């Protein structure tokens, strides 16, 4: 079982999460990075989660704008999900932050701060979760 599944909503999000991926490597945590949009390829995302969820201890989902990805992931898995709102669009990520924060009852997502610092904190939180469940 790998430690972290990192999902981003678009290939263009890679730059924003690059420092977090480097931190994962520095800490010798096992991980995979996948790109799935909750809007553009939902069926593929859901099929992937159904097949792969059991292979990861924690899932980090990063997205901008409407930021549906963390909520969709959390509604489909039982693993802990950490959401990272990415800085993009005319509201500079505030829309993504509010989208992740306002998920309905029953869809738990730990929400980090905006952008690169949020992605780094997501890795640090994931590491703490993983250490507790080992």
């Amino acid at each position: 079982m790998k430690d972290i599944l990192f999902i981003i909503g678009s290939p263009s999000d890679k730059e924003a999460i690059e420092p977090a991926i480097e931190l994962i490597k520095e800490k010798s945590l096992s991980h995979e990075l996948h790109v799935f949009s909750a809007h553009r390829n939902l069926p593929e995302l859901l099929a992937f989660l159904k097949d792969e969820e059991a292979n990861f201890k924690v899932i980090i989902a990063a997205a901008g704008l409407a930021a549906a990805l963390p909520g969709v992931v959390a509604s489909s898995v039982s693993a802990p999900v950490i959401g990272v709102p990415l800085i993009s669009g005319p509201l500079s990520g505030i829309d993504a932050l509010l989208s992740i924060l306002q998920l309905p009852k029953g869809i738990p997502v730990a929400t980090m701060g905006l952008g690169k610092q949020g992605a780094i904190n997501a890795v640090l939180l994931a590491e703490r979760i993983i250490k507790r469940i080992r």
Side-chain angles (χ1 to χ4, degrees):
M1 176 180 281
K2 291 190 177 169
D3 294 318
I4 299 171
L5 169 59
F6 213 123
I7 305 174
I8 54 177
S10 169
S12 63
D13 296 337
K14 283 185 181 175
E15 181 183 339
I17 59 115
E18 214 163 76
I21 297 299
E22 289 304 313
L23 182 59
I24 289 171
K25 292 175 184 175
E26 285 174 27
K27 293 186 167 290
S28 300
L29 296 167
S30 58
H31 75 285
E32 285 185 17
L33 172 64
H34 291 272
V35 178
F36 287 105
S37 168
H39 298 105
R40 290 184 293 275
N41 56 351
L42 180 60
E44 292 88 350
L45 170 61
L46 296 176
F48 175 81
L49 291 171
K50 183 179 180 187
D51 292 342
E52 296 293 328
E53 174 205 358
N55 296 327
F56 298 94
K57 296 174 184 166
V58 177
I59 300 172
I60 300 173
L65 300 172
L69 184 62
V72 168
V73 171
S75 71
S76 304
V77 301
S78 61
V81 176
I82 303 170
V84 179
L86 298 179
I87 299 170
S88 63
L91 299 179
S92 300
I94 298 300
D95 46 353
L97 176 63
L98 293 175
S99 292
I100 299 170
L101 283 173
Q102 297 183 90
L103 289 169
K105 178 176 73 173
I107 312 295
V109 174
T111 307
M112 298 293 105
L114 290 166
K116 292 179 182 181
Q117 73 179 22
I120 289 170
N121 280 339
V123 172
L124 296 172
L125 178 58
E127 179 186 37
R128 289 182 179 190
I129 293 168
I130 291 162
K131 284 182 178 179
R132 297 288 298 199
I133 60 176
R134 281 191 177 157

